[in-house]
Amino acid sequence: MISIHSVRQALRSPARLRTEVLAGLVVALALIPEAIAFSVIAGVDPRIGLFSSVTMAITIAVAGGRR
Amino acid sequence: MISAATAAVALVVAPVAREHGVGYLVATILLAGAFQMLLAVAGVAKLMRFIPRSVMIGFVNALAILVFVSQLPHLLGVPWLVYPLTAVGIVVMVLLPKLTTAIPAPLVVVALLTGAVVLFGWHVPDVGDQGALPDSLPLPGFPHVPPTLYTLRVIAPYALGAALVGLLESLMTAKLVDDITETPSNKTREAFGQGTANIVTAIFGGMGGCAVIGQTMMNVKVAGARTRLSTFLTGAFVLLLVVALGPVVGLIPMAALAAVMVVISVTTFDWHSIAPRTLKVMPRSETAVMVVTVVGTVATGNLAVGVSLGVLAAMIGFARRVAHLTVVECDPVSVPKTYRVRGELFFASSNDLIHQFDYADDPDEVIIDLSGTDVWDASSVATLDAIRQKYHVRGKTVRLTGLDGASLERLKKLSGRLGV
């Protein structure tokens, strides 16, 4: 599968790996305030939006259409 | 591509949570995920081409307006201290990205304002007032709703709306990422993946979501990520931070979040689309489609409704425009008398066709030259039959010439078999 291939390549290259890890961290930090705000929009506890973001991101990382 | 809880989906399902409780919201997301999987298998990715650019812009603008409006309750009728805090937050949100892109501005706003509020002991509404905060991981399970037909009737329309809106925003984001990275992505797999992600999220009691344009751009453009790894790590880091910082999250003042969301809504809005210079050159019907999408969404608070109305308006507008190009010319000196039809013949253009001929005063033999047209549907064949009939009752003959290919096939197959 192409997806596994590109991730494996990233794991082998330290520079690429560092970019991916930092990107993940920065986006996570940006996501948290919004996830809380969206929970408030939907009228549910802030934790629901936060955990939804976790499961959405992790699942789509595996199941999404981009390698 | 980053997927998370999003405003678009939250806005669609908010009424379910408000009127029926969180259990129904989770059930709605579960069903929305199933709808998305079905739509993916049915080829929804190909249907995206039926959504015109003006509807996409309308979607973005309507989303921006709804997000902005959703923040008003946190800004109206609140302690006066909220206003300076929000103002500082907005200033940081606007100015910080001009200085550095290494640290996300929303994070700085939240950290700065939370720190100030805690340090000075100010009393302003905070996240803790909004509900319970994460202390432990949610356990997987099925939503607590009665498995009855009534439940299904309540959630189905919202589930379909959330499914469509989620797919629309996700596939729009996918297209943007394709453009930036100049690599293709599998849209059908993305659509199916969105369904999977929503089902998994619902099983963990979540509110669903879709791809987020803002964070995806941050991930791809600014941070330079290219693989699934960054998306996976985003989820892992959110989990880690939320569990580690759980109690602190409750101290975040709503003013900080409102500042973040107000700036996001203003930057999300496509200002170019309503600039006088754009409006001047843009065909009026395109602007009308955009406005229909926006008004339909803002009036119902539901993006799915606005997009549906926008697509409908665009299709009607298109059919009208093409129908207007259909003309009938008559060559008065030719023998036998010849009418020439140019433009496309279909339901929108064929109804007027019948009035274009001078049945009473024409000679006994008439030719209708159809070489400049195509016959697209049964409506047009029925009209051509009716024209022939009108000449026939007056004892005149009419010949249709110049048709070929699929148009001729259609005429042969349907002519005389359409009843009245």
Side-chain angles (χ1 to χ4, degrees):
Chain A
M1 241 161 91
I2 308 162
S3 57
I4 302 298
H5 179 71
S6 75
V7 169
R8 226 180 253 158
Q9 259 184 342
L11 287 173
R12 261 195 232 114
S13 145
R16 175 103 308 252
L17 186 62
R18 210 181 56 130
T19 311
E20 299 289 326
V21 173
L22 281 181
L25 185 60
V26 170
V27 174
L29 291 173
L31 214 54
I32 291 173
E34 283 184 34
I36 297 168
F38 296 151
S39 313
V40 178
I41 289 178
V44 297
D45 289 353
R47 68 169 158 193
I48 291 182
L50 289 167
F51 283 129
S52 300
S53 298
V54 173
T55 49
M56 285 301 295
I58 290 181
T59 315
I60 209 68
V62 179
R66 179 153 278 284
R67 64 199 175 87
Chain B
M1 256 171 71
I2 305 295
S3 288
T6 53
V9 173
L11 287 163
V12 172
V13 297
V16 183
R18 202 166 48 229
E19 284 156 31
H20 303 278
V22 180
Y24 281 84
L25 170 83
V26 175
T28 305
I29 295 303
L30 193 67
L31 188 59
F35 277 145
Q36 287 180 327
M37 282 177 156
L38 280 177
L39 289 167
V41 174
V44 72
K46 289 197 189 91
L47 282 177
M48 277 295 283
R49 79 184 64 184
F50 286 105
I51 300 180
R53 189 174 164 277
S54 40
V55 174
M56 301 261 194
I57 294 172
F59 175 90
V60 168
N61 289 350
L63 181 60
I65 293 171
L66 288 185
V67 169
F68 184 84
V69 170
S70 72
Q71 296 309 307
L72 295 181
H74 305 300
L75 296 172
L76 299 175
V78 288
W80 66 271
L81 204 51
V82 168
Y83 296 101
L85 286 175
T86 309
V88 169
I90 290 174
V91 169
V92 173
M93 274 295 283
V94 173
L95 294 184
L96 188 71
K98 296 194 198 311
L99 300 174
T100 173
T101 48
I103 323 162
L107 182 72
V108 176
V109 171
V110 167
L112 192 74
L113 296 188
T114 309
V117 167
V118 172
L119 198 65
F120 297 108
W122 287 330
H123 288 286
V124 287
D126 60 23
V127 172
D129 303 334
Q130 306 290 326
L133 282 160
D135 42 11
S136 60
L137 299 182
L139 292 171
F142 278 92
H144 298 288
V145 288
T148 60
L149 209 61
Y150 172 75
T151 307
L152 193 65
R153 266 220 311 272
V154 167
I155 66 172
Y158 294 103
L160 189 61
L164 292 176
V165 165
L167 284 178
L168 187 66
E169 190 170 349
S170 300
L171 296 179
M172 261 167 76
T173 311
K175 217 173 113 190
L176 282 175
V177 178
D178 289 357
D179 289 348
I180 292 171
T181 62
E182 294 180 345
T183 54
S185 64
N186 185 338
K187 306 288 186 302
T188 299
R189 185 169 169 194
E190 181 64 39
F192 197 81
Q194 288 293 333
T196 314
N198 271 320
I199 288 177
V200 171
T201 301
I203 288 171
F204 280 94
M207 58 184 264
C210 61
V212 260
I213 298 178
Q215 271 72 9
T216 301
M217 288 301 120
M218 189 183 270
N219 192 34
V220 174
K221 243 184 182 168
V222 182
R226 284 294 178 273
T227 72
R228 296 168 183 279
L229 202 56
S230 64
T231 308
F232 181 84
L233 289 172
T234 297
F237 279 128
V238 172
L239 184 64
L240 214 68
L241 291 164
V242 164
V243 173
L245 302 174
V248 184
V249 172
L251 301 173
I252 300 172
M254 291 313 291
L257 297 179
V260 171
M261 296 315 289
V262 163
V263 173
I264 286 177
S265 68
V266 171
T267 49
T268 303
F269 198 93
D270 186 346
W271 294 100
H272 180 77
S273 71
I274 58 158
R277 276 170 70 190
T278 315
L279 292 179
K280 229 174 172 177
V281 291
M282 191 64 80
R284 232 183 293 157
S285 61
E286 302 262 319
T287 306
V289 166
M290 193 268 278
V291 171
V292 165
T293 310
V294 171
V295 171
T297 302
V298 174
T300 60
N302 189 330
L303 284 157
V305 173
V307 168
S308 307
L309 289 176
V311 170
L312 191 67
M315 286 181 172
I316 292 171
F318 176 75
R320 257 185 62 129
R321 228 173 312 157
V322 175
H324 271 297
L325 296 176
T326 306
V327 287
V328 178
E329 287 161 346
C330 175
D331 191 349
V333 289
S334 66
V335 178
K337 186 172 177 180
T338 304
Y339 287 96
R340 275 193 195 84
V341 182
R342 281 192 294 121
E344 305 303 316
L345 282 185
F346 64 113
F347 58 90
S349 61
S350 59
N351 284 328
D352 279 341
L353 196 67
I354 203 153
H355 308 300
Q356 308 286 325
F357 299 91
D358 192 359
Y359 304 102
D361 299 332
D362 274 348
D364 285 349
E365 202 182 347
V366 173
I367 291 178
I368 302 176
D369 181 359
L370 298 170
S371 57
T373 186
D374 285 298
V375 176
W376 285 107
D377 57 9
S379 302
S380 320
V381 175
T383 306
L384 290 172
D385 278 358
I387 292 167
R388 262 200 284 215
Q389 182 63 22
K390 274 181 178 274
Y391 278 114
H392 184 73
V393 294
R394 288 176 173 82
K396 299 170 184 178
T397 58
V398 60
R399 272 192 300 140
L400 304 179
T401 62
L403 274 187
D404 55 10
S407 297
L408 187 62
E409 287 287 305
R410 208 167 282 130
L411 187 71
K412 275 186 180 162
K413 207 167 141 194
L414 293 174
S415 183
R417 290 186 196 147
L418 293 170
V420 189

